[in-house]
Amino acid sequence: MPNYGISEFSSIFVTTGTPKITKIHRIANRGEYQFFRDYYLPLRTAIKSLFIHKRHISHLYEVARKQKDNGKKVNFEKVANNFKDWQSGKNITAYTPPHGHFNYLQTSINCNPELNVIVNGSPRLVKLHFNASDRMTQERANIICYLISDVISDDDFTYSVLDLATGQEFFFNDNPDRMHHRIQDEIEVIQSHWA
């Protein structure tokens, strides 16, 4: 059964031709998820707990400084800077985010926003994106926001993707009905190439 993370599904969705098939086959043959291979895991964890545990933003820089690899330290500091800029001047309260799976045919997509925050009085579910080499676009963000909103099914939330590689925050700006059909069509294409 095809099982995707929401970011990797959005990446496959916007890819065409042979690279699309290659991505599908790579995921089909990758084995079980191993969390310790998540390059940004320490920083992702620190950001997720920042508001809930009432930590100062300097905690992110401490996590960055503890990295042994200099390249990783630089990347973590860049992400910390972008997150600091995003949260600066905002009144933010955080809660544990809801999550779930979008299921269609035999495919399951894990919809896991990292932040459930009230920003200046407005509830928001935020998916964090870290990877500069797997560029976030408005189209990908629309896919991610739609899937999370469909699974969570709560109109009180605003849904967004915060690209921590660039500091840009994306909000859904597409037609929900059209997006629903596009996602179902894409799942059918992906399943036809699943091996």
Side-chain angles (χ1 to χ4, degrees):
M1 174 174 165
N3 194 337
Y4 295 93
I6 195 167
S7 293
E8 65 190 1
F9 177 79
S10 72
S11 180
I12 290 169
F13 192 111
V14 300
T15 304
T16 59
T18 304
K20 179 189 221 58
I21 307 304
T22 301
K23 283 184 179 187
I24 294 168
H25 289 164
R26 189 178 316 125
I27 291 167
N29 298 307
R30 74 176 162 202
E32 291 296 315
Y33 172 69
Q34 297 172 326
F35 70 89
F36 58 86
R37 291 191 177 190
D38 180 350
Y39 180 86
Y40 285 103
L41 181 63
L43 199 54
R44 183 189 314 275
T45 303
I47 289 171
K48 286 168 63 173
S49 68
L50 194 67
F51 301 113
I52 291 175
H53 296 299
K54 311 241 186 286
R55 291 189 169 142
H56 190 267
I57 194 74
S58 62
H59 176 66
L60 301 185
Y61 293 98
E62 290 170 25
V63 171
R65 278 193 293 277
K66 289 180 182 175
Q67 302 309 305
K68 292 180 172 84
D69 177 271
N70 280 336
K72 196 170 189 178
K73 191 178 296 188
V74 168
N75 289 337
F76 276 34
E77 285 176 359
K78 180 179 179 186
V79 166
N81 285 335
N82 285 333
F83 190 79
K84 179 183 175 187
D85 290 346
W86 175 80
Q87 62 89 47
S88 182
K90 294 181 172 81
N91 180 8
I92 299 175
T93 306
Y95 303 93
T96 302
H99 60 86
H101 289 83
F102 181 92
N103 298 306
Y104 179 67
L105 301 174
Q106 289 82 41
T107 294
S108 182
I109 302 166
N110 185 20
C111 299
N112 58 339
E114 283 89 356
L115 299 178
N116 173 3
V117 290
I118 297 177
V119 179
N120 298 330
S122 176
R124 189 181 305 178
L125 286 178
V126 183
K127 179 67 184 164
L128 301 177
H129 180 75
F130 293 85
N131 192 342
S133 63
D134 189 21
R135 197 169 74 84
M136 183 53 58
T137 63
Q138 182 63 58
E139 184 178 16
R140 285 187 68 192
N142 282 340
I143 295 160
I144 291 168
C145 290
Y146 174 80
L147 287 167
I148 293 173
S149 69
D150 185 78
V151 167
I152 303 305
S153 235
D154 187 336
D155 292 336
D156 289 338
F157 284 112
T158 298
Y159 300 87
S160 72
V161 177
L162 177 57
D163 183 354
L164 290 170
T166 65
Q168 184 175 1
E169 187 171 16
F170 297 90
F171 296 89
F172 185 78
N173 71 356
D174 206 330
N175 177 290
D177 291 333
R178 186 177 82 89
M179 183 59 68
H180 184 81
H181 293 298
R182 287 184 66 208
I183 287 170
Q184 287 183 335
D185 291 346
E186 182 65 21
I187 287 172
E188 290 172 16
V189 169
I190 289 171
Q191 283 195 186
S192 74
H193 294 288
W194 187 263

